[in-house]
């Protein structure tokens, strides 16, 4: 079966997950949040007291890790770590930098790569992350690079954290986003960058509905409404 693969890349806090999930629901595609997969590995390293920047230690722990994705009746992706639902736990602010650190290790990326590609072979997917269009699905039918200014992303993340009951100061959130940007764009393995054939979508001055419509317009044009 020929599947349609949509790759959405971009920096932390750009709204990739929210917009990709909304677009997938509209088009009837499977939504795959690859960042949640790396967060799950980062969460494991953190709760075990490991240094997530220690590539050898993290690689040695991979055989102990079982990462699974399931989908609830609401269609939302749930993450299981060794059978335990960690969907909410991996969204805590301190896990973001752990995820960024473990995602820089070649062993971790190789461990998770086939899991992601298998989903794209079996379903029409909208997959978001940092290197989907450049590494995971380089032949994707549609590639979008979704971004916004660091300040806009920090404001949005602050609102998200407030909604979860875990508010953080704007200055701290902005600093963490800038640190994550630097880490993601400067890592030696699969750094964050816009694929040459990706459409740039900057949502700095767009609200959610405007961003959603802009993304859907790109997807429908590139897939001929499929």
């Amino acid at each position: 079966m020929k599947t349609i693969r949509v790759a959405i890349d971009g920096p932390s806090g750009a709204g990739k997950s929210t917009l990709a999930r909304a677009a997938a629901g509209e088009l009837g595609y499977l939504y795959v949040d690859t960042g949640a997969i790396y967060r799950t590995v980062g969460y494991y390293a953190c709760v075990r007291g490991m240094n997530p920047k220690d590539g050898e230690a993290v690689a040695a722990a991979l055989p102990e890790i079982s990462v699974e994705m399931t989908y609830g009746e609401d269609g939302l992706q749930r993450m299981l770590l060794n059978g335990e639902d960690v969907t909410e736990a991996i969204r805590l602010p301190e896990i973001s930098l752990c995820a960024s650190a473990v995602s820089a290790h070649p062993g971790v990326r190789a461990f998770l790569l086939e899991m992601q590609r298998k989903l794209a072979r079996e379903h029409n997917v909208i997959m978001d992350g940092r290197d989907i269009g450049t590494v995971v699905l380089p032949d994707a039918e549609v590639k979008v690079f979704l971004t916004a200014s660091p300040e806009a992303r920090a404001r949005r993340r602050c609102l998200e954290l407030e909604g979860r009951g875990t508010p953080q100061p704007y200055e701290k959130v902005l600093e963490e986003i800038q640190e994550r940007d630097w880490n993601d764009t400067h890592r030696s393995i699969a750094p964050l960058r816009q694929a040459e054939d990706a459409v740039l979508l900057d949502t700095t001055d767009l609200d959610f509905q405007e961003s959603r419509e802009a993304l859907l317009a790109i997807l429908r044009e590139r897939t001929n409404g499929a």
Side-chain angles (χ1 to χ4, degrees):
M1 180 183 73
K2 174 63 175 175
T3 59
I4 294 176
R5 300 156 297 171
V6 177
I8 299 181
D9 291 309
S12 176
K16 297 185 303 297
S17 297
T18 306
L19 290 170
R21 184 184 303 117
E26 178 76 18
L27 300 174
Y29 287 19
L30 180 68
Y31 166 59
V32 181
D33 175 3
T34 64
I37 303 174
Y38 285 100
R39 281 175 175 271
T40 301
V41 177
Y43 174 80
Y44 182 87
C46 288
V47 298
R48 289 303 178 97
M50 301 165 57
N51 178 358
K53 295 182 179 180
D54 186 339
E56 290 187 7
V58 175
L62 290 176
E64 308 167 4
I65 300 175
S66 171
V67 179
E68 297 176 83
M69 294 167 50
T70 63
Y71 293 85
E73 292 182 2
D74 54 7
L76 297 183
Q77 176 178 301
R78 311 291 300 180
M79 298 305 304
L80 302 181
L81 171 62
N82 295 338
E84 177 188 356
D85 189 328
V86 294
T87 306
E88 303 302 325
I90 63 173
R91 295 298 174 183
L92 295 173
E94 57 267 28
I95 302 302
S96 292
L97 293 179
C98 289
S100 183
V102 301
S103 69
H105 304 317
V108 174
R109 304 199 75 83
F111 177 69
L112 299 175
L113 184 61
E114 176 53 25
M115 174 184 179
Q116 297 169 63
R117 288 178 171 168
K118 183 174 185 291
L119 289 167
R121 287 195 299 268
E122 297 175 350
H123 307 273
N124 291 334
V125 298
I126 295 182
M127 189 176 293
D128 76 69
R130 301 289 190 281
D131 64 342
I132 309 304
T134 55
V135 176
V136 179
L137 302 176
D139 298 323
E141 284 72 20
V142 187
K143 298 179 186 179
V144 178
F145 192 83
L146 183 67
T147 191
S149 71
E151 293 77 13
R153 289 185 278 133
R155 287 193 296 271
R156 293 169 186 173
R157 181 58 60 84
C158 282
L159 290 173
E160 178 186 349
L161 292 172
E162 286 176 13
R164 289 181 178 156
T166 56
Q168 296 284 329
Y170 168 81
E171 293 76 12
K172 181 175 186 292
V173 173
L174 177 60
E175 181 181 353
E176 289 180 349
I177 280 180
Q178 291 171 329
E179 180 180 354
R180 181 87 191 260
D181 286 352
W182 197 95
N183 290 341
D184 289 344
T185 55
H186 288 78
R187 67 190 183 203
S188 59
I189 303 298
L192 170 66
R193 64 180 178 84
Q194 181 178 340
E196 292 182 1
D197 54 347
V199 179
L200 177 65
L201 176 55
D202 188 326
T203 67
T204 298
D205 298 319
L206 304 179
D207 63 20
F208 172 75
Q209 190 60 32
E210 292 168 335
S211 300
R212 175 181 174 276
E213 291 305 319
L215 177 58
L216 283 170
I218 293 170
L219 301 187
R220 286 173 173 141
E221 177 185 356
R222 294 297 177 107
T223 61
N224 295 316

